Amino acid sequence: MPALQTVTRDARVIPFIDEGEGPVSLVLIPEHSLEGDALGAIAHYLAEEAGFRIIRIDEPGGADASVDERVADVIAVLEHVGLEDTWVGGHGPGGTVARAVAAEHTARVDGLLLLGAEDAGAPLAPGIPVLIIQGADDAVTPAVNGERLQASAPDRATVRTVAGDHLFPMSHPIETALFIEEYLDWD
């Protein structure tokens, strides 16, 4: 397993894991701490089997940080690792942070990945592709959230459904990773 690294911004330590070396890169923002290896199986598959570079950022800004602080933390990690452009995505609240990164730093974002999209009420960033993966039995972030987002950008947003509840990225990681690989591999 790749080592946990850190970067400091405004006296806050931001943990992250960087694995893989492929031409396609994806920043993943898990809903829960990296210590529980949140999104780890997806990241390992995409790095090892698909040949992607995956950077997982642990709760950017901490649980009490604002979305703006979390966005700044994601950008600090990107600058630290030297990524000028990348796909960015997250699970639940991590996806909401990813949406804000895409909206505020559109030139740095190749596309957006939402796993269990929250009903954040914010429009999708213009001009970038969006992959939305929803759990079929997700009561926390129901499938209708993804359908609403797709309807707001039908020419560039795609929705896929995976078996499982809100924790589908952990309970069905390979199925989820295969959807991501298939979609991002054309980039």
Side-chain angles (χ1 to χ4, degrees), residues 83-173:
L83 265 178
E84 294 297 319
D85 61 286
T86 185
W87 278 77
V88 63
H91 178 226
T96 300
V97 172
R99 284 174 71 176
V101 169
E104 295 175 31
H105 300 276
T106 306
R108 292 190 84 157
V109 177
D110 296 332
L112 180 62
L113 167 66
L114 302 173
L115 304 171
E118 289 189 312
D119 186 12
L124 294 171
I128 61 171
V130 181
L131 174 60
I132 304 161
I133 304 176
Q134 297 290 131
D137 300 315
D138 188 344
V140 177
T141 54
V144 69
N145 293 355
E147 293 164 6
R148 244 185 259 133
L149 280 173
Q150 182 186 36
S152 73
D155 59 324
R156 58 189 175 87
T158 301
V159 176
R160 296 287 182 253
T161 303
V162 174
D165 60 15
H166 184 64
L167 298 179
F168 72 87
M170 283 66 83
S171 63
H172 295 81

Side-chain angles (χ1 to χ4, degrees), residues 5-70:
Q5 301 177 53
T6 61
V7 65
T8 303
R9 187 188 76 76
D10 293 342
R12 281 200 316 264
V13 177
I14 307 155
F16 69 95
I17 295 173
D18 186 356
E19 64 183 302
E21 299 177 5
V24 175
S25 62
L26 170 62
V27 171
L28 286 175
I29 305 165
E31 179 172 340
H32 301 291
S33 171
L34 290 175
E35 292 176 8
D37 204 23
L39 305 182
I42 291 171
H44 299 316
Y45 176 88
L46 292 172
E48 297 297 320
E49 300 299 324
F52 292 178
R53 181 179 185 188
I54 307 295
I55 299 170
R56 286 181 287 146
I57 301 175
D58 194 6
E59 296 183 309
D64 296 327
S66 70
V67 170
D68 289 340
E69 290 172 317
R70 292 175 181 193

